[in-house]
Amino acid sequence: MNQPTSKATACVHAGSKADTMTKGVNTPVFTSTAYDYLDVDVHAYPRYFNTINQQVVSDKIAALEKGEKAMVFSSGMAAITTALFSILKTGDHAIFQNDLYGGTHHAITNELNRFGIEFTLVNSLSASDFEKAIQPNTKLIYIETPSNPLLKIIDIRAISTLAKANNLITLIDNTFASPINQNPIELGIDIVLHSGTKYLGGHSDLCCGAIISSEELMQKAWSSAIHFGGNLDAQSCYLLERSIKTLSLRVKQQNLNAHAISKFLEGHSEISNVYYPGLSTHPQHDLATSQMSGYGGMLSFEVKIDPDAFVKRLKLIAPAMSLGGVESTITSPAQTSHSKISDEEKEKAGISNHLLRLSVGIEEADDLINDLNLALHGNT
Ligand SMILES: *Cc1c(COP(=O)(O)O)cnc(C)c1O
C-alpha cells in the first residue's frame, strides 16, 4: 500500500478502509468471531490478529512508526510481555534501562527469573554502561525515553549501534514520545512498543497496546501472541483508529502547551526544579533535539510548598494517574508509581515527595498556567 509520508495525513488516512457497501467514509466495525472455513481468503479469528479492524489500526500505527508491520493488543503490558517472551528463552540474558515504567519494572523483576531468564538493570544512561552489562548469552536491550517520571533522555542511536555490533535485538517503549515526536525505527531500533492507553487512545477511555517492527520480528511476535491471547476486540480497534486520526493535532498542541507551562514553572518562586526536555536547561536538551521532532506533553517539577495541598487547590488540572489524555492530569510519583520503594531509594532515584508529574492536555495553555499559578499562590 502507498502510505502517506506526512504524519498528519497518515493519522487520518493510513490503513483506514472506506465502507464499500454503503459508501460511508469510515471503516465499518466487523464484530464476527466466526468466518467461513470453505473460503481460504477469509480465514480470520481475533486471536490470530487478522480481522479487518485489527489490521486497519495496525497498518495505521505501522505507517506512523515507519515500521513494516504492527499488531495491537488489549494493553500496553500485553504488548510488552508478548514482545519479550517472543524473543527470550531459558538461559538467556536481557539488559533493561533501570528507569522504566513501573509496571514493566515489576513485570520483569517478578517474571523473568521464574523462567530461568537472567537480566541486568542498568542504572545509567550511558551506552558504555550498557556495553559493560553485555554477556555471552545476552539477547536484547530494552530502553525507554523520555523516561518516567524525570524525563531523562537516552541516546537511541548509541544504543542501537551498540546492539547491532553485538547482534542484540533492541526494544524501546515509545509511549511518552508518541510516534508524532519520535520514530525509533529510523534511529536503528528493532522493536517499538506502545501503551496505546496513553497518547494513541488519547481520551482516557481505552486500554490497549502495540508492537511495531520488521516483517521478520513481527512474525516471531505473532507466533507467541496467538498463544498468549492479548488481542484487542473490534470495537476497541475502531475506537483506537478513530482516536489516532487526531493524534498529530493533539500531540502538536500538547507539545506547545507543555513548553509554555515548563517556561512558566521554571521562573516561578515556589518551584525548585522543572524537568522538561524542551527546556535549554534540561541536561540532555541537545540529545532530545537530535532524536525527537517535538518534546512531548509530559513534564515534572518540584514544589516548595505542600504538594497535596497544592494539587487540591487546582481546579482545571485533575489529580489522576495515567497520562496522554486530552485533559491535563497531575500525579505524585512518590505516592503512586514509586510508592512501594523505600524513602532512601526514592531519594537516590531523584523522586522526592515534592515531585509532581504533569500530563499536559489540549486545553488553552493560558488557562492551565492560570490554574497552576493560583494554586501555587494559595498558601503564600
Ligand atoms: C502505561 C504505560 C505502560 C503500560 O501500559 P498499559 O496500557 O497500562 O498496560 C507501559 N509503558 C509506559 C511508558 C506507560 O506509560
Side-chain angles (χ1 to χ4, degrees):
M1 171 181 176
N2 220 354
Q3 298 290 9
T5 48
S6 116
K7 283 189 215 171
T9 307
C11 280
V12 179
H13 293 289
S16 293
K17 283 188 165 61
D19 180 2
T20 50
M21 197 164 83
T22 67
K23 307 284 180 191
V25 294
N26 289 313
T27 311
V29 183
F30 295 99
T31 54
S32 291
T33 56
Y35 290 84
D36 183 351
Y37 78 94
L38 295 172
D39 185 344
V40 289
D41 290 337
V42 299
H43 276 188
Y45 190 59
R47 192 168 44 74
Y48 275 70
F49 295 80
N50 58 357
T51 62
I52 291 182
N53 291 105
Q54 289 170 308
Q55 282 174 348
V56 159
V57 71
S58 298
D59 287 350
K60 199 184 274 303
I61 293 171
L64 286 170
E65 276 294 9
K66 326 268 181 184
E68 288 173 7
K69 223 174 150 54
M71 272 195 293
V72 290
F73 291 81
S74 53
S75 70
M77 288 312 300
I80 291 167
T81 52
T82 298
L84 288 173
F85 283 107
S86 75
I87 299 165
L88 297 169
K89 61 176 191 319
T90 304
D92 286 345
H93 173 256
I95 299 172
F96 294 89
Q97 179 178 341
N98 191 51
D99 289 296
L100 289 177
Y101 169 71
T104 310
H105 200 280
H106 202 253
I108 61 173
T109 50
N110 282 275
E111 300 290 346
L112 294 186
N113 285 342
R114 296 196 299 127
F115 294 95
I117 299 163
E118 302 175 323
F119 62 91
T120 304
L121 287 160
V122 178
N123 204 0
S124 152
L125 299 171
S126 112
S128 65
D129 288 324
F130 278 77
E131 186 168 17
K132 285 182 201 131
I134 298 175
Q135 303 178 8
N137 57 341
T138 305
K139 285 281 145 49
L140 63 84
I141 301 181
Y142 184 111
I143 58 172
E144 193 174 312
T145 180
S147 73
N148 178 37
L150 292 174
L151 289 304
K152 293 181 195 167
I153 308 291
I154 190 162
D155 188 337
I156 298 174
R157 289 185 189 88
I159 294 296
S160 63
T161 303
L162 169 70
K164 282 191 169 65
N166 291 277
N167 270 324
L168 308 177
I169 296 174
T170 40
L171 297 90
I172 189 170
D173 184 329
N174 206 31
T175 301
F176 265 41
S178 92
I180 303 303
N181 288 330
Q182 185 166 275
N183 285 137
I185 289 174
E186 289 191 326
L187 304 170
I189 294 291
D190 296 309
I191 298 176
V192 174
L193 302 160
H194 276 283
S195 167
T197 315
K198 317 298 165 53
Y199 287 100
L200 299 182
H203 297 72
S204 308
D205 59 2
L206 196 54
C207 185
C208 54
I211 306 181
I212 307 95
S213 188
S214 63
E215 292 272 1
E216 186 191 342
L217 287 170
M218 288 310 291
Q219 181 61 35
K220 270 184 110 150
W222 178 81
S223 303
S224 290
I226 60 169
H227 299 143
F228 300 147
N231 48 285
L232 191 64
D233 68 282
Q235 188 66 45
S236 302
C237 286
Y238 176 71
L239 276 178
L240 182 57
E241 178 196 347
R242 185 186 199 272
S243 291
I244 296 174
K245 290 185 184 186
T246 59
L247 180 67
S248 174
L249 266 182
R250 286 187 276 114
V251 170
K252 278 182 198 159
Q253 191 60 43
Q254 284 162 319
N255 289 344
L256 290 173
N257 285 0
H259 213 146
I261 291 169
S262 69
K263 286 222 149 101
F264 159 75
L265 291 171
E266 199 177 34
H268 201 286
S269 58
E270 299 295 346
I271 302 287
S272 46
N273 278 306
V274 183
Y275 305 91
Y276 184 64
L279 289 174
S280 56
T281 48
H282 186 286
Q284 296 139 325
H285 174 65
D286 291 343
L287 176 59
T289 306
S290 81
Q291 62 190 25
M292 302 180 81
S293 49
Y295 301 107
M298 298 300 301
L299 61 97
S300 293
F301 56 96
E302 272 146 22
V303 288
K304 293 179 185 168
I305 56 179
D306 175 355
D308 290 346
F310 162 71
V311 168
K312 281 188 191 137
R313 284 195 295 273
L314 292 166
K315 297 214 159 52
L316 196 55
I317 302 169
M321 281 150 77
S322 202
L323 60 111
V326 291
E327 65 287 301
S328 297
T329 55
I330 195 162
T331 181
S332 154
Q335 290 177 40
T336 57
S337 56
H338 292 69
S339 64
K340 288 184 193 73
I341 66 174
S342 68
D343 280 352
E344 196 189 333
E345 271 186 89
K346 262 184 251 180
E347 278 309 319
K348 231 167 59 191
I351 317 284
S352 82
N353 290 328
H354 285 249
L355 180 74
L356 294 166
R357 189 196 73 185
L358 182 60
S359 169
V360 181
I362 62 168
E363 302 94 335
E364 189 68 41
D366 283 348
D367 292 337
L368 296 169
I369 288 172
N370 199 31
D371 196 29
L372 291 163
N373 197 30
L374 289 176
L376 282 169
H377 287 292
N379 70 346
T380 52

